[in-house]
Amino acid sequence: MKTFNPAKPDGENETLTIALPDSGTPTLGNTYQVPARCGIAVKMTAGQSIKITNPSGHQVCDFWAFYQHDLNEYLSMEHLRTSLGKIIPVPGDAIVSNMRRPLLTFLVDSSPGIHDTLIAACDHQRYQQLGCNDYHDNCTDNLRMALLAIGCQAPAIPSPFNLWMNVPVDASGNTSFEAPLCSAGDYVVFKAEYDVIIVLSACPQDITPVNGANCQPAPVDFMIFIDD
Ligand SMILES: [Zn+2]
């Protein structure tokens, strides 16, 4: 019987070849781009901040953080919702791990504040269920490949913090997949409270309208800096 290996992608894209140098070490103040449909991993040391920008205004970014010194500790949306008492964090909130430690602090949000903590990352199976016969780029594989590209292995597929993803919950508890509500150039900033590996995936979803009504995935930009 085939056993499940969380680190092994179901297919490939250029995520495997676009890693930052030195195993994901950024040059502070440089703006990097995550190409549409791809993922990138970047190392941050405690005290550094990351600014993630939505150039098109309609792109969702799946966002993960792993504790650099033990990848089995990572941001956990279910633990986060417990600590917050709500489903969407705002600036000032601690973003906690599965060990309930605040790996990050949410510092700034220039967008209307609509993000998602409920929905799993898209994956090979999701696109098969949506009717794709061939391989479709997906955020789960982007996470796996982005980590492989810096010499790491995904220990699991944690639920992502889906930046700008608009999944409203109505009074009856029903959810729907809607277009993002942000504008071109909107950004968020998180500060690392511990040494972390961040993984960003410019979600390749082009079947449901989560990346805008035109279903056209776009790039995401990011920069690591020290706020002083
Ligand atoms: Zn996705």
Side-chain angles (χ1 to χ4, degrees):
M1 200 177 95
K2 222 168 99 177
T3 54
F4 176 67
N5 176 358
K8 189 175 177 300
D10 291 304
E12 290 185 1
N13 68 17
E14 66 175 306
T15 297
L16 282 171
T17 64
I18 55 173
L20 301 192
D22 299 322
S23 303
T25 305
T27 300
L28 299 184
N30 254 29
T31 297
Y32 295 94
Q33 185 175 84
V34 185
R37 311 177 76 92
C38 292
I40 290 186
V42 58
K43 287 181 176 161
M44 294 176 70
T45 54
Q48 294 177 342
S49 293
I50 181 168
K51 177 180 181 181
I52 306 162
T53 304
N54 196 330
S56 70
H58 61 71
Q59 177 62 39
V60 163
C61 179
D62 286 40
F63 175 81
W64 293 269
F66 297 81
Y67 180 50
Q68 250 187 58
H69 311 292
D70 179 1
L71 298 188
N72 290 300
E73 180 176 6
Y74 41 75
L75 292 190
S76 166
M77 296 302 101
E78 48 271 48
H79 293 80
L80 175 65
R81 295 190 299 265
T82 304
S83 72
L84 295 181
K86 59 189 174 190
I87 62 171
I88 305 179
V90 298
D93 286 338
I95 312 297
V96 301
S97 72
N98 55 341
M99 302 298 286
R100 302 189 191 271
R101 293 200 301 171
L103 294 186
L104 304 176
T105 301
F106 196 176
L107 290 186
V108 181
D109 188 355
S110 80
S111 76
I114 300 301
H115 309 283
D116 169 73
T117 67
L118 300 176
I119 303 298
C122 63
D123 53 28
H124 178 66
Q125 292 76 12
R126 169 81 167 138
Y127 290 104
Q128 296 284 301
Q129 290 177 353
L130 286 170
C132 296
N133 294 316
D134 298 329
Y135 179 72
H136 189 291
D137 297 322
N138 63 83
C139 290
T140 296
D141 280 350
N142 287 347
L143 166 66
R144 292 163 164 154
M145 289 186 280
L147 288 173
L148 288 173
I150 62 163
C152 296
Q153 297 215 328
I157 308 298
S159 278
F161 183 3
N162 294 307
L163 301 174
W164 302 297
M165 187 163 165
N166 181 13
V167 182
V169 182
D170 75 13
S172 303
N174 298 304
T175 57
S176 55
F177 290 84
E178 310 286 346
L181 296 179
C182 53
S183 305
D186 269 336
Y187 61 91
V188 291
V189 178
F190 298 92
K191 181 183 175 193
E193 304 294 349
Y194 295 86
D195 299 344
V196 292
I197 299 174
I198 300 287
V199 182
L200 305 170
S201 172
C203 180
Q205 178 58 267
D206 54 8
I207 300 171
T208 73
V210 293
N211 289 314
N214 293 332
C215 298
Q216 285 188 331
V220 168
D221 290 345
F222 70 93
M223 180 180 72
I224 312 294
F225 65 102
I226 297 177
D227 212 357
D228 41 29

